[in-house]
Amino acid sequence: MNSSKSTPIRRNHILWLVVPPGVWAIHFLASYLTIAIWCAKFADETGNASPVRIAIAGYTILALAIIVVVGTIGYRKHRKGGVPPHDKNTAGDHIRFTGQATFLLSLLSGVATIFTALVVVFIRSCD
């Protein structure tokens, strides 16, 4: 098999690997920056954080939706192909491997996103 034709295929599928952890990282930063800025600049005397809780809920729903879509794509790529084991050095096996890794990273990133969102359950005010 010509390596020039297989390299773009592998690169294209490897890019899917960074999407779920990247979405979690953006969710993490957006959540904590939102609550930090709100509490520092906009909170009233009572320290009410209700608007921040709503914003983080929105961030979480969006992040989980993206992670589920990418995880589904990875799962479908993993399930394509013949009978296992897929341990040859072929383009199809590379696609199945990156599909499985994408799916597993999506699961991990989904759990991490939920744990990040739990901060609003425990922190109800800016005080």
Side-chain angles (χ1 to χ4, degrees):
M1 176 156 52
N2 188 353
S3 65
S4 65
K5 290 185 179 182
S6 64
T7 303
I9 291 172
R10 280 187 252 148
R11 283 190 187 141
N12 184 20
H13 293 283
I14 286 175
L15 290 177
W16 285 107
L17 287 170
V18 299
V19 173
V23 169
W24 166 75
I26 291 168
H27 175 268
F28 182 87
L29 287 172
S31 298
Y32 280 91
L33 285 174
T34 301
I35 200 159
I37 292 170
W38 175 265
C39 289
K41 302 276 185 184
F42 303 109
D44 56 9
E45 306 83 39
T46 62
N48 185 14
S50 293
V52 173
R53 294 165 57 92
I54 294 168
I56 292 175
Y59 299 162
T60 303
I61 291 168
L62 178 63
L64 288 175
I66 294 169
I67 290 169
V68 166
V69 168
V70 173
T72 303
I73 290 168
Y75 183 75
R76 287 182 181 164
K77 289 184 185 305
H78 169 64
R79 298 299 293 170
K80 275 186 179 179
V83 179
H86 303 293
D87 55 359
K88 305 281 189 277
N89 191 15
T90 64
D93 288 343
H94 287 275
I95 291 170
R96 283 186 284 281
F97 172 76
T98 55
Q100 181 183 21
T102 301
F103 173 69
L104 294 174
L105 278 170
S106 295
L107 289 176
L108 181 64
S109 298
V111 170
T113 301
I114 290 169
F115 276 115
T116 301
L118 282 176
V119 72
V120 298
V121 172
F122 298 113
I123 299 174
R124 299 203 178 262
S125 71
C126 293
D127 294 334

